[in-house]
Amino acid sequence: MVQAYILIQTEVGKASTVADVISELSGVIQAEDVTGPYDVIARAEASSVDELGRLVVAEVQRVPGITRTLTCPVVHL
């Protein structure tokens, strides 16, 4: 299993709605609206890096109100 944090910037006033929509996507473990340079942080998991990429590009980035994402895969050293 591959896990990642997805840092999300949204349009003004859209963070809560975006977090609610993203939290319902298959593969997303949790999504929270936060303060700081990003508006929403989600944790997601997939069976492979390719599948994780498909989740981010095909589903997360299509949620209305998102302006930018940054995917940070979790590593176990």
Side-chain angles (χ1 to χ4, degrees):
M1 231 5 137
V2 177
Q3 294 188 348
Y5 288 97
I6 306 168
L7 311 178
I8 302 164
Q9 292 178 334
T10 68
E11 296 172 358
V12 174
K14 301 284 185 173
S16 182
T17 302
V18 167
D20 289 344
V21 172
I22 289 175
S23 68
E24 298 298 321
L25 295 177
S26 177
V28 174
I29 300 167
Q30 187 175 16
E32 305 265 2
D33 43 325
V34 296
T35 61
Y38 293 93
D39 304 304
V40 176
I41 298 177
R43 185 165 177 134
E45 68 180 4
S47 58
S48 68
V49 173
D50 290 339
E51 188 63 33
L52 180 65
R54 280 190 282 279
L55 169 65
V56 173
V57 173
E59 296 187 48
V60 172
Q61 290 182 349
R62 290 187 179 185
V63 172
I66 291 178
T67 59
R68 181 179 295 184
T69 65
L70 174 65
T71 303
C72 302
V74 174
V75 296
H76 301 282
L77 303 174

